[in-house]
Amino acid sequence: MYLEQTSCRVRQWFGFDWKFKLEEENDFRPVQLPHDWSVEYGFDENAPSYGSGGYVKTGKGVYVKRFTVDPSAKGKKISLHFDGAYMCAGVFLNGNEIGSHVYGYTPFEMDITDNLNFNSENELVVKIDNSRQPGSRWYSGSGITRDLWIISVSPAHIKTFGTFIRAGKIENDSAVLLIDTDIIPPDGNAQLNTSIFNKDDKLVNEASFSIISEADDSRKASRIISQEIEIRSPKLWSNRDPYMYRAESTLIVNGETTDVYITPFGIRKIEFTPDKSFIINGKQVKLRGVCLHHDGGSVGAAVPLKLWKRRLIRLIEMGINAVRFSHNPPDPGLLDLCDSLGLYVMDEAFDEWALLKSKALGSNTHQSSGYSQWFYEHHEEDLTAMILRDRNHPSVIIWSIGNEVPEQTQAEGYKTAQKLIDICHNLDPTRLCTQANDQICAEPKAAAEAFLNTLDIVGYNYTGRWRSRAETLYESDKRSYPGRLIIGAENTCAAGRRGDYSLKTEGTMFWHSLYYTAAARVQKLLRFTETHDYVAGDFMWTGVDYLGEAHWPNRSACCGVLDTCGFPKDHYYFYKSIWRREEPFVYIFPHWNMDLAQGTVIPVLCYTNCEQAEVFINGKSYGKKAYSYPLYGMTEIYGHFDKPPVPYNTDDMFLGWDVPYNPGTIEARGFNDGKEVSSHVIKTAGAPKRLSASTDTRQLSCDGRDIAHIEVQIKDDENNLCPNADNRIYVNIEGPAQLIGIDNGKPDCMDSFKGNSMEAMAGLLLIIIRSKREAGEIKIKLSAGNLESCDLLLRSQ
């Protein structure tokens, strides 16, 4: 079992040995948490979730777990802590209702002490109601979709999320930490010791506070103790050096330690200014961000953190330094990853306030219900849960109170915004608040000025959507409101389906564009954002493809630079060419297996950070080209440049050639200072011959939770990827592991994510396996009809 234990606090992972069934089913079946039943029943055009929810099964489900508690735990306070359950969860223990929670994205904790049997077995039942459908504008998943913990503490203890650590003053050689600790008052006098440890587990300073029992302490739900601790020569957290400390808060009552609570945190100073926008530790940083939905493709909403880590690292390699968790609080482990990887976070609370959104348009298929029916009753509880949980994460730099809410255009909408902002500021006075607005300058009714003026930072969605804004972008608002803080909360990405090189427009989805137009439609805003200091940055929609927001026969949206498998698309390299300029590279596409007559003239694109690039087809050069970004002017001497300008032929941020298609070889070469520094070669592939596979690990922990990603390629007899291959690939696993997801990234593939086979898309397939609670060899056999098979050998120990 998973234990997070100190001398007197036990936090135990509670995910094994559950049974589950849908309400209408007769029999329970074993499952492991986190669990999402919606991806287990396949896709159905007539499913009540419809396209917005990904055409999956929802409804009502029941979870049951039987367990015992060590009698030595008598006298302790024992609670269940849910990181998230979607949605409308009801919790019952030994036939007694413990409590309920509506919102599927916020944590909740329930005291079960009084209903526990210490000398016999206990039965825990969790009922999930996700039957109000369509219930979301995207895939939500259904079930206990995040981790569940059972926590045992002494009656006098530190509350969950009871610490708040922030830097009050940061100077060159010193940082003063302000620490608030929320405790359940002890019966008698006590002492709170707070110790700060650095990344190497070295004690750097500590403080002690004597707690004198007050007459009314027994009637208090909690009591906040404030302390100050100075850290000499602090290491400051940033995306370039994500340095973490930890605080150990020890509560001692009548000489006995009753609780030790651990809080990871980072020390940094952030500010936003009208001219330089985002500044961290005194340095201006441009936010290069992506929006992310919460699903993990083939695993649905029950996403192992190792899967998220693989995705985030690939996005960082592309050049991002920021993420917006849209449009709800993320899995808490995701924020831990952002802390450790060095990603700035816009943490978002709601997609909907009290007014129901009109969802039966654009990418949404049917009018749907949403959080609005619970907003008035639960918004304070849910926003508070997010702030308390997340405010110690140095990665979180902005709170977002909502996304594209209809209240932005209402005369009284600012009042709701102000109430939510007040909650944020009261719980955390160190961060500013935004809301993602899609109606700025909209017609016929624009966002109200009073609403926008309420926000600390104005978040712009689809900045160039209305009339002349397509050309002027943020500039007119900067002139009208010079003191306004501006951030691109959501804007279009160079997206599309991986491997789609159609020369004709097809479909009406908002994310569809021809392969040679995708970068062209986003480069203007990208260049503007990069070169205007007053714009804090931008969060493109999206970093990764996600389930839902689709029209049959699609079950997912192709808005990302990574597909649902985490495979990069061509346009991934467009952003990399602008954001990662330190290591030269060139990338050319499309592939050279086009279904075209020889001699057909087609666009060939090149994404590069080199000064010049040259394209060759079957050895024949089609000329060198250069683009104009970034341009720099003269230095202090007239006519003198730090680096001689290279003659450029386009004001685009990428290069293109119109060339005749002739099978064989296409190559791009990159040049700096006239010297070749990089190349990319694509050969026309032959017929599919064999399978090839790689894995991100050969060794799994036999803990029942570790996963491995297996990337499968279809290749010809000369080891070239076959970019049009769609052979069905079969998976057989022997040993202590199980398949938990299979995916090809194809939005209109309706095969089960939980089956043992799937067709490849553009020659690629992803398989995700999870270890069991036993050691041994894991043999993975991959086959595809008459292709040469492929075996992998892993080990669980």
Side-chain angles (χ1 to χ4, degrees):
M1 298 295 288
Y2 271 68
L3 293 174
E4 292 188 1
Q5 185 168 341
T6 58
S7 58
C8 46
R9 169 184 287 262
V10 176
R11 185 175 183 260
Q12 184 175 4
W13 187 71
F14 217 44
F16 289 131
D17 305 321
W18 285 83
K19 292 186 177 180
F20 166 80
K21 77 176 187 70
L22 288 178
E23 185 181 61
E24 64 269 23
E25 295 175 337
N26 294 320
D27 299 322
F28 283 89
R29 56 185 171 87
V31 298
Q32 178 176 318
L33 305 185
H35 177 249
D36 175 6
W37 79 69
S38 286
V39 285
E40 297 182 339
Y41 289 87
F43 303 97
D44 180 358
E45 184 178 5
N46 298 311
S49 59
Y50 293 110
S52 299
Y55 297 106
V56 296
K57 194 172 192 66
T58 49
K60 298 180 180 180
V62 182
Y63 293 85
V64 177
K65 180 181 174 72
R66 291 179 173 84
F67 66 100
T68 58
V69 177
D70 192 320
S72 66
K74 270 193 173 182
K76 299 278 190 176
K77 176 181 178 289
I78 300 177
S79 303
L80 293 174
H81 182 92
F82 292 78
D83 282 341
Y86 202 91
M87 64 177 304
C88 294
V91 181
F92 304 81
L93 181 61
N94 298 325
N96 300 308
E97 183 174 2
I98 303 300
S100 62
H101 185 79
V102 169
Y103 201 27
Y105 300 103
T106 46
F108 57 99
E109 194 164 293
M110 295 179 178
D111 187 343
I112 60 173
T113 311
D114 294 341
N115 291 282
L116 275 174
N117 297 322
F118 286 91
N119 300 310
S120 60
E121 191 175 62
N122 295 274
E123 182 181 72
L124 176 62
V125 177
V126 181
K127 297 180 179 180
I128 301 293
D129 183 356
N130 193 22
S131 62
R132 298 168 183 84
Q133 293 295 322
S136 179
R137 299 192 302 125
W138 56 86
Y139 179 87
S140 66
S142 305
I144 307 177
T145 53
R146 295 178 181 173
D147 284 324
L148 171 60
W149 309 82
I150 186 166
I151 301 173
S152 172
V153 294
S154 299
H157 62 274
I158 296 162
K159 292 179 67 176
T160 300
F161 311 136
T163 55
F164 181 27
I165 305 171
R166 68 275 189 205
K169 186 178 182 181
I170 298 177
E171 296 178 337
N172 291 334
D173 60 349
S174 173
V176 176
L177 302 181
L178 307 178
I179 305 174
D180 291 338
T181 307
D182 197 354
I183 67 170
I184 301 300
D187 182 13
N189 296 334
Q191 183 172 301
L192 176 66
N193 294 335
T194 302
S195 303
I196 306 299
F197 295 87
N198 67 13
K199 194 164 132 182
D200 301 318
D201 296 324
K202 180 181 178 181
L203 178 67
V204 294
N205 208 345
E206 57 189 338
S208 180
F209 187 95
S210 296
I211 304 168
I212 308 300
S213 181
E214 299 176 357
D216 62 346
D217 267 351
S218 60
R219 298 191 297 274
K220 287 183 179 179
S222 64
R223 180 176 171 186
I224 296 177
I225 306 300
S226 296
Q227 296 172 291
E228 290 189 10
I229 298 180
E230 183 181 16
I231 305 299
R232 303 293 296 180
S233 302
K235 294 277 191 178
L236 301 185
W237 186 97
S238 71
N239 71 299
R240 295 194 175 277
D241 185 12
Y243 194 94
M244 295 294 292
Y245 291 85
R246 80 174 189 275
E248 290 190 4
S249 306
T250 303
L251 186 62
I252 302 171
V253 181
N254 298 324
E256 179 183 351
T257 298
T258 64
D259 196 8
V260 179
Y261 190 87
I262 297 173
T263 307
F265 70 98
I267 302 172
R268 84 286 187 276
K269 180 182 179 181
I270 59 173
E271 58 182 321
F272 288 84
T273 70
D275 295 323
K276 294 296 184 182
S277 204
F278 178 58
I279 299 172
I280 182 163
N281 304 328
K283 296 181 179 180
Q284 182 186 12
V285 172
K286 185 69 67 174
L287 298 174
R288 297 164 170 171
V290 294
C291 299
L292 293 173
H293 266 320
H294 69 287
D295 77 80
S298 62
V299 297
V303 190
L305 286 181
K306 196 171 177 181
L307 186 153
W308 270 120
K309 186 174 183 179
R310 172 176 172 266
R311 288 176 163 191
L312 292 176
I313 287 175
R314 285 193 172 172
L315 290 169
I316 290 170
E317 289 171 348
M318 183 185 76
I320 73 162
N321 63 10
V323 293
R324 172 190 176 213
F325 290 119
S326 45
H327 301 291
N328 313 94
D331 184 304
L334 256 173
L335 293 177
D336 293 334
L337 283 174
C338 291
D339 287 345
S340 63
L341 294 173
L343 286 170
Y344 303 114
V345 171
M346 180 186 291
D347 204 353
E348 194 155 82
F350 307 115
D351 182 55
E352 192 169 83
W353 296 349
L355 296 180
L356 178 71
K357 286 187 177 180
S358 177
K359 303 185 184 75
L361 53 86
S363 57
N364 299 105
T365 57
H366 294 74
Q367 184 66 274
S368 56
S369 56
Y371 186 71
S372 59
Q373 60 187 301
W374 295 287
F375 178 80
Y376 282 126
E377 184 178 356
H378 292 289
H379 71 272
E380 185 168 357
E381 156 197 359
D382 289 322
L383 183 56
T384 296
M386 183 186 89
I387 303 297
L388 293 182
R389 186 195 70 174
D390 298 348
R391 62 186 179 175
N392 288 314
H393 287 279
S395 56
V396 177
I397 60 169
I398 309 171
W399 303 119
S400 172
I401 56 174
N403 172 67
E404 299 182 354
V405 295
E407 282 88 344
Q408 67 187 286
T409 64
Q410 305 300 307
E412 300 293 303
Y414 74 94
K415 294 181 179 179
T416 303
Q418 188 62 64
K419 182 177 181 181
L420 296 174
I421 291 171
D422 288 345
I423 293 172
C424 295
H425 286 173
N426 288 337
L427 295 172
D428 173 26
T430 71
R431 294 176 178 89
L432 301 183
C433 295
T434 189
Q435 201 273 153
N437 305 280
D438 64 332
Q439 298 297 305
I440 297 176
C441 286
E443 297 175 0
K445 191 174 184 180
E449 187 170 344
F451 185 95
L452 299 179
N453 289 342
T454 303
L455 305 173
D456 299 326
I457 308 176
V458 177
Y460 286 70
N461 284 18
Y462 305 99
T463 309
R465 179 174 281 173
W466 302 97
R467 293 193 184 267
S468 61
R469 295 286 173 121
E471 286 290 351
T472 62
L473 301 173
Y474 302 104
E475 194 63 31
S476 55
D477 277 1
K478 180 61 179 175
R479 289 196 301 269
S480 299
Y481 310 98
R484 175 178 288 182
L485 301 179
I486 291 173
I487 191 167
E490 180 178 322
N491 281 292
T492 303
C493 169
R497 188 157 112 171
R498 177 173 57 81
D500 180 7
Y501 300 114
S502 169
L503 298 175
K504 295 182 179 179
T505 303
E506 56 186 44
T508 57
M509 292 303 293
F510 67 96
W511 45 258
H512 179 82
S513 60
L514 299 176
Y515 74 88
Y516 54 85
T517 67
R521 71 174 184 161
V522 300
Q523 66 177 358
K524 179 181 176 66
L525 177 60
L526 177 60
R527 188 168 194 151
F528 189 100
T529 301
E530 288 288 319
T531 56
H532 288 73
D533 285 348
Y534 68 81
V535 183
D538 190 54
F539 295 84
M540 73 170 90
W541 189 265
T542 57
V544 187
D545 288 353
Y546 53 92
L547 302 178
E549 280 201 301
H551 292 250
W552 193 268
N554 295 313
R555 40 77 168 160
S556 55
C558 292
C559 305
V561 288
L562 303 179
D563 68 9
T564 52
C565 301
F567 294 140
K569 303 176 187 177
D570 294 317
H571 310 303
Y572 171 98
Y573 298 96
F574 169 63
Y575 292 99
K576 182 177 179 179
S577 71
I578 304 303
W579 290 341
R580 295 292 301 271
R581 306 194 66 87
E582 65 278 5
E583 183 176 344
F585 82 94
V586 289
Y587 179 86
I588 194 170
F589 65 102
H591 61 66
W592 219 232
N593 279 69
M594 302 290 283
D595 184 18
L596 296 170
Q598 289 195 32
T600 302
V601 176
I602 63 170
V604 166
L605 267 62
C606 177
Y607 297 148
T608 183
N609 57 12
C610 297
E611 293 173 354
Q612 292 177 301
E614 186 173 7
V615 165
F616 297 81
I617 299 176
N618 298 325
K620 178 182 177 181
S621 173
Y622 281 80
K624 283 185 180 180
K625 292 189 177 184
Y627 62 85
S628 65
Y629 180 86
L631 283 177
Y632 293 99
M634 292 183 293
T635 62
E636 59 189 35
I637 303 173
Y638 187 85
H640 181 269
F641 296 82
D642 288 334
K643 190 174 181 65
V646 174
Y648 57 88
N649 64 292
T650 178
D651 203 34
D652 292 332
M653 302 173 81
F654 61 92
L655 301 173
W657 289 258
D658 290 331
V659 301
Y661 173 69
N662 287 298
T665 300
I666 182 169
E667 180 182 7
R669 300 176 188 172
F671 298 85
N672 283 342
D673 295 323
K675 299 177 181 179
E676 183 179 335
V677 292
S678 183
S679 67
H680 182 205
V681 179
I682 302 173
K683 294 182 179 180
T684 301
K689 179 70 173 180
R690 63 183 183 86
L691 298 180
S692 175
S694 62
T695 177
D696 56 351
T697 182
R698 291 279 179 174
Q699 184 170 301
L700 294 172
S701 299
C702 58
D703 56 6
R705 301 187 72 192
D706 200 4
I707 69 166
H709 299 87
I710 298 162
E711 298 184 1
V712 187
Q713 297 184 337
I714 299 175
K715 294 190 172 182
D716 68 5
D717 57 3
E718 294 185 357
N719 207 38
N720 296 306
L721 175 70
C722 298
N724 292 323
D726 58 0
N727 305 65
R728 180 167 289 274
I729 299 173
Y730 293 83
V731 186
N732 182 62
I733 300 174
E734 298 176 4
Q738 61 180 326
L739 184 147
I740 63 169
I742 183 169
D743 190 12
N744 55 14
K746 187 178 180 183
D748 55 350
C749 176
M750 294 300 170
D751 286 1
S752 172
F753 286 140
K754 307 302 177 181
N756 70 342
S757 73
M758 184 175 285
E759 292 180 350
M761 184 181 84
L764 301 179
L765 186 76
L766 177 71
I767 297 160
I768 304 172
I769 67 168
R770 184 173 64 200
S771 65
K772 295 182 179 179
R773 287 179 284 173
E774 57 187 277
E777 284 190 343
I778 303 167
K779 297 179 180 179
I780 301 168
K781 298 181 180 293
L782 305 170
S783 61
N786 61 353
L787 301 187
E788 293 179 12
S789 61
C790 177
D791 296 346
L792 285 175
L793 185 64
L794 282 68
R795 183 161 190 86
S796 177
Q797 63 183 40

